């Protein structure tokens, strides 16, 4: 990946101070809860759904030229999918604690992943922003997703967001840059100033997007289009980025093609006040914040004294009191008319009064159950029109299951992954893929008389050994008489959408291969005079 290094995108050595792990992200009691769980490794396999609820069917509808031109129509289609197929898509994991524990215990070996490298983005104001760069290993131009993490998340530890990185990078044809949240301990340690919220992160997102489209940057040569995704507190910056995109795009095409925010903060001040109003939840968050933001005590003198369980509200007050303007704001960043950089922290982060006539699509997903970023005080304010927008580019889709967007737990994994991919692909107009396939004739005596009536095919992906260059499928066929047969098929790794360069596969690569195939492989039985089995998958051109 070093060929993409520049003065603004650095690949530090492993012993660099800027790569030092941040303080423990969770208070001891939460660490105990998470560590007491057996971590699980998603395979990306979907449930067996009816033909009408098959994610591929709904993906085709999302990509339809009549639908993809409007976020409103796309959102309505997704809402219809949930209404018509909800009973099939839901997994039955509905409890708040069950959803949260399962989401937080997902295994992803990002530090050992050959396709992922930690980077440092150098931004104006001497801001150093850590990222995790995930590239397919080829030089094809692909949609590039900037992924902004939630509150306290660092690149060294981003538990709630692991599923989204799997879906966007390992299972999709995209390259991805994960960016730390400004509330992470690493950001505090590596920078002399501190802030949080959508105004500052939105400016950072815009500057990184410009960097990715700058022809002088080596990385720009593999960028087909730029898309920004974020969740929770990271979603606030995504929303402001969509507004900045209107005023900072080049002539003739948008800098960023689409925006996607999951359970985002929309109303920053009220959300922060809700998290610090007292009670058990606030006490947990305060302990969590203290472990994560502890280094602030050395940078904000006003934090030297605070009452028990009042660290977080005191820290917020001190940030607001010491704020002088966007940490990376420069005059080349064009703000909406009437907005001026300066010390008004809450005012700058309440940018909705300036939101009008934005063209590029913004999709928001929320869950009804959300005690951290309540939909009623955030995205629900948009859908209920309590926040009045002079723009039709934003659509809010509400999911009745899940807690704070633990959607991969509450719903079928493959369906959620497919809908995410579909949205981004639908707004990547110049990106193309081609089908690769393998057909096996089934005409010998073993299969004689088997193809009577419809035949259903299912498959299971077997994780390859570290020195294998093929992956094995176990394919199971059942005919209308309930007779069944099985067969094995091997597919070469060289034909997939990744470029495997190492002699031996790492554990992370082997798990990724399984997830990618479970998302992208199609198995069809071709019945007729010459029955055959066809397996197919798409790769980037």
């Amino acid at each position: 990946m070093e060929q993409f290094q520049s003065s603004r995108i650095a690949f530090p050595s492993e012993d660099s101070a800027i790569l030092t792990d941040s303080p423990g992200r969770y208070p001891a009691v939460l660490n105990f809860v998470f560590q007491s769980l057996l971590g699980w490794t998603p395979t990306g396999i979907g449930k067996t759904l009816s033909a009408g609820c098959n994610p591929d069917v709904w993906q085709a509808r999302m990509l339809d030229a009549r639908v993809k031109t409007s976020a409103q129509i796309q959102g309505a289609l997704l809402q219809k999918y949930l209404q018509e197929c909800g009973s099939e898509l839901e997994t039955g994991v509905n409890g708040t604690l069950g959803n949260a524990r399962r989401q937080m215990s997902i295994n992803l070996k990002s530090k050992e992943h050959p396709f992922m490298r930690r980077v440092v983005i150098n931004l104006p104001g001497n801001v150093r922003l850590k990222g995790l760069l995930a590239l397919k290993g080829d030089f094809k131009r692909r949609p590039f997703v900037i992924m902004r993490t939630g509150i306290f998340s660092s690149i060294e530890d981003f538990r709630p967001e692991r599923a989204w990185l799997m879906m966007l990078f390992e299972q999709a044809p995209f390259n991805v840059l994960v960016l730390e949240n400004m509330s992470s301990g690493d950001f505090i340690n590596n920078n002399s100033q501190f802030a949080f919220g959508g105004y500052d992160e939105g400016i950072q997102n815009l500057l990184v997007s410009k960097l990715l489209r700058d022809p002088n940057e080596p990385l720009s040569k593999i960028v087909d289009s730029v898309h920004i995704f974020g969740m929770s507190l990271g979603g606030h910056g995504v929303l402001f980025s969509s507004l900045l995109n209107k005023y900072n795009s080049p002539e003739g095409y948008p800098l960023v093609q689409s925006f996607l925010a999951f359970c985002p903060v929309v109303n920053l001040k009220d959300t922060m006040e809700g998290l610090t109003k007292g009670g058990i939840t606030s006490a947990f968050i305060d302990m969590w914040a203290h472990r994560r933001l502890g280094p602030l005590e050395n940078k904000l003198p006003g934090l030297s004294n605070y009452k028990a369980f009042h660290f977080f509200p005191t820290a917020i007050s001190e940030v607001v009191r010491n704020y002088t303007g966007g940490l990376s704001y420069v005059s080349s960043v064009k703000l909406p008319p009437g907005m001026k950089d300066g010390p008004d922290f809450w005012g700058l982060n309440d940018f909705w009064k300036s939101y009008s006539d934005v063209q590029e699509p913004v999709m928001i997903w929320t869950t009804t159950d959300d005690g951290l970023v309540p939909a009623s005080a955030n995205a629900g304010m948009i859908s209920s029109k309590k926040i009045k927008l002079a723009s039709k580019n934003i659509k809010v889709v509400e999911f009745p299951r899940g807690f704070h967007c633990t959607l991969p737990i509450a719903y079928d994994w493959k369906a959620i992954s497919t809908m995410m991919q579909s949205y981004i692909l639908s707004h990547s107009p110049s990106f193309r893929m081609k089908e690769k396939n393998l057909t096996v004739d089934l005409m010998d005596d073993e299969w004689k008389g088997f193809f009577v009536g419809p035949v259903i095919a299912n498959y299971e992906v077997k994780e390859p050994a570290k020195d294998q260059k093929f992956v094995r499928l176990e394919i199971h066929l059942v005919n209308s008489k309930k007779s069944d047969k099985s067969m094995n098929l091997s597919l070469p790794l060289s034909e997939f959408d990744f470029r495997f360069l190492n002699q031996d596969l790492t554990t992370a690569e082997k798990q990724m291969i399984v997830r990618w195939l479970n998302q992208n492989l199609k198995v069809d039985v071709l019945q007729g005079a010459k029955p055959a089995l066809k397996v197919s998958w798409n790769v980037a051109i």
Side-chain angles (χ1 to χ4, degrees), residues 136-320:
K136 293 291 193 292
D138 56 32
F139 292 93
K140 298 175 182 178
R141 287 188 177 271
R142 300 172 178 270
F144 198 107
V145 181
I146 298 171
M147 176 177 158
R148 204 73 201 229
T149 55
I151 193 168
F152 306 143
S153 280
S154 71
I155 295 308
E156 312 304 331
D157 187 2
F158 54 101
R159 287 177 189 257
E161 300 89 355
R162 290 174 181 174
W164 308 124
L165 180 56
M166 291 176 179
M167 292 181 181
L168 288 170
F169 176 69
E170 293 190 331
Q171 296 185 285
F174 314 139
N175 289 321
V176 178
L177 174 62
V178 185
L179 295 177
E180 66 183 343
N181 195 277
M182 291 178 69
S183 61
S184 74
D186 280 0
F187 185 87
I188 297 168
N189 283 324
N190 295 324
N191 292 278
S192 60
Q193 300 181 77
F194 176 70
F196 66 93
Y199 177 73
D200 274 270
E201 288 200 352
I203 290 174
Q204 291 177 351
N205 296 341
L206 178 82
L207 293 171
V208 173
S209 300
K210 285 187 172 184
L211 184 152
L212 293 173
R213 301 302 293 262
D214 184 347
N216 295 316
E217 284 292 335
L219 195 56
S220 70
K221 294 178 174 51
I222 60 170
V223 176
D224 173 79
S225 54
V226 177
H227 309 261
I228 305 181
F229 161 72
M231 69 167 293
S232 193
L233 183 57
H236 196 229
V238 172
L239 299 174
F240 186 50
S241 301
S242 70
L243 177 57
L244 291 177
N245 193 52
K246 172 183 176 180
Y247 298 98
N248 293 272
S249 289
E251 188 72 31
Y253 68 92
L255 180 68
V256 182
Q257 291 286 148
S258 72
F259 303 84
L260 186 61
F262 288 179
C263 293
V265 171
V266 171
N267 188 334
L268 183 64
K269 187 175 183 180
D270 286 357
T271 301
M272 291 297 107
E273 289 177 352
L275 291 175
T276 57
K277 65 182 179 182
I280 295 177
T281 300
S282 294
F284 272 108
I285 291 173
D286 199 78
M287 289 190 292
W288 186 357
H290 189 243
R291 287 179 65 87
R292 203 59 169 166
L293 306 179
L296 271 181
E297 293 185 26
N298 300 321
K299 298 186 177 184
L300 295 176
L303 262 180
S304 57
N305 293 302
Y306 54 87
K307 297 178 182 178
F309 296 110
H310 279 73
F311 171 82
F312 195 32
T314 305
I316 293 172
S317 297
E318 285 301 299
V319 169
V320 173

Side-chain angles (χ1 to χ4, degrees), residues 44-198:
I45 193 167
K47 297 169 62 179
T48 300
L49 303 173
S50 64
C53 294
N54 188 317
D56 294 337
V57 172
W58 290 83
Q59 179 178 50
R61 294 171 182 173
M62 285 281 283
L63 296 174
D64 188 291
R66 296 165 296 179
V67 173
K68 66 183 183 180
T69 56
S70 168
Q72 296 290 330
I73 299 176
Q74 285 188 311
L77 181 64
L78 178 53
Q79 200 78 67
K80 183 180 180 182
Y81 187 27
L82 294 175
Q83 291 169 354
E84 293 186 3
C85 299
S87 59
E88 292 188 47
L89 297 176
E90 293 170 12
T91 62
V93 182
N94 296 326
T96 297
L97 183 58
N99 268 264
R101 291 173 66 186
R102 189 98 170 130
Q103 180 96 2
M104 298 292 247
S105 59
I106 289 175
N107 288 327
L108 175 65
K109 299 180 180 295
S110 61
K111 293 181 182 179
E112 304 166 19
H113 207 303
F115 290 88
M116 300 179 186
R117 279 290 305 275
R118 289 178 288 178
V119 298
V120 175
I121 312 295
N122 295 305
L123 295 175
N126 293 319
V127 170
R128 296 189 293 180
L129 187 65
K130 284 180 62 175
L132 183 68
L133 184 61
L135 301 180
K136 293 291 193 292
D138 56 32
F139 292 93
K140 298 175 182 178
R141 287 188 177 271
R142 300 172 178 270
F144 198 107
V145 181
I146 298 171
M147 176 177 158
R148 204 73 201 229
T149 55
I151 193 168
F152 306 143
S153 280
S154 71
I155 295 308
E156 312 304 331
D157 187 2
F158 54 101
R159 287 177 189 257
E161 300 89 355
R162 290 174 181 174
W164 308 124
L165 180 56
M166 291 176 179
M167 292 181 181
L168 288 170
F169 176 69
E170 293 190 331
Q171 296 185 285
F174 314 139
N175 289 321
V176 178
L177 174 62
V178 185
L179 295 177
E180 66 183 343
N181 195 277
M182 291 178 69
S183 61
S184 74
D186 280 0
F187 185 87
I188 297 168
N189 283 324
N190 295 324
N191 292 278
S192 60
Q193 300 181 77
F194 176 70
F196 66 93

Side-chain angles (χ1 to χ4, degrees), residues 319-484:
V319 169
V320 173
R321 189 172 68 86
N322 287 276
Y323 190 74
T324 58
L327 303 193
S328 290
Y329 172 76
V330 287
S331 59
S332 60
V333 174
K334 298 176 183 177
L335 298 176
M339 180 179 284
K340 183 178 180 181
D341 186 65
D344 184 5
F345 178 84
W346 295 123
L348 291 171
N349 279 287
D350 184 15
F351 45 81
W352 294 108
K353 55 184 175 294
S354 300
Y355 206 98
S356 65
D357 196 29
V358 177
Q359 298 301 311
E360 274 55 60
V362 179
M363 182 81 78
I364 297 176
W365 292 6
T366 67
T367 48
T368 305
D369 182 11
D370 194 335
L372 299 177
V373 184
S376 59
N378 288 281
M381 300 281 284
I382 296 176
S383 55
S384 67
K385 302 190 185 308
K386 291 181 180 178
I387 293 178
K388 300 186 183 302
L389 302 179
S391 187
K392 296 181 179 180
N393 68 309
I394 296 182
K395 178 63 178 180
V396 178
V397 178
E398 185 173 322
F399 289 72
R401 303 298 182 192
F403 169 74
H404 193 47
C405 282
T406 56
L407 302 175
I409 310 302
Y411 292 91
D412 177 65
W413 180 289
K414 185 173 181 177
I416 294 297
S417 181
T418 300
M419 289 301 102
M420 279 188 78
Q421 288 186 34
S422 302
Y423 175 73
I424 294 172
L425 286 172
S426 70
H427 299 292
S428 304
S430 60
F431 179 65
R432 296 290 181 268
M433 302 185 76
K434 65 179 179 181
E435 180 186 284
K436 293 202 170 190
N437 60 70
L438 178 65
T439 302
V440 180
D441 291 334
L442 302 176
M443 296 179 60
D444 54 26
D445 291 342
E446 178 188 356
W447 297 94
K448 189 174 182 179
F450 183 77
F451 295 98
V452 177
V455 176
I456 298 173
N458 291 302
Y459 66 89
E460 182 180 354
V461 183
K462 296 297 183 180
E463 188 176 289
K466 67 177 184 179
D467 58 349
Q468 287 183 326
K469 303 305 178 186
F470 290 80
V471 62
R472 183 167 63 89
L473 305 178
E474 283 189 4
I475 299 175
H476 309 280
L477 302 169
V478 180
N479 67 12
S480 59
K481 296 181 178 180
K482 304 302 180 184
S483 297
D484 62 274

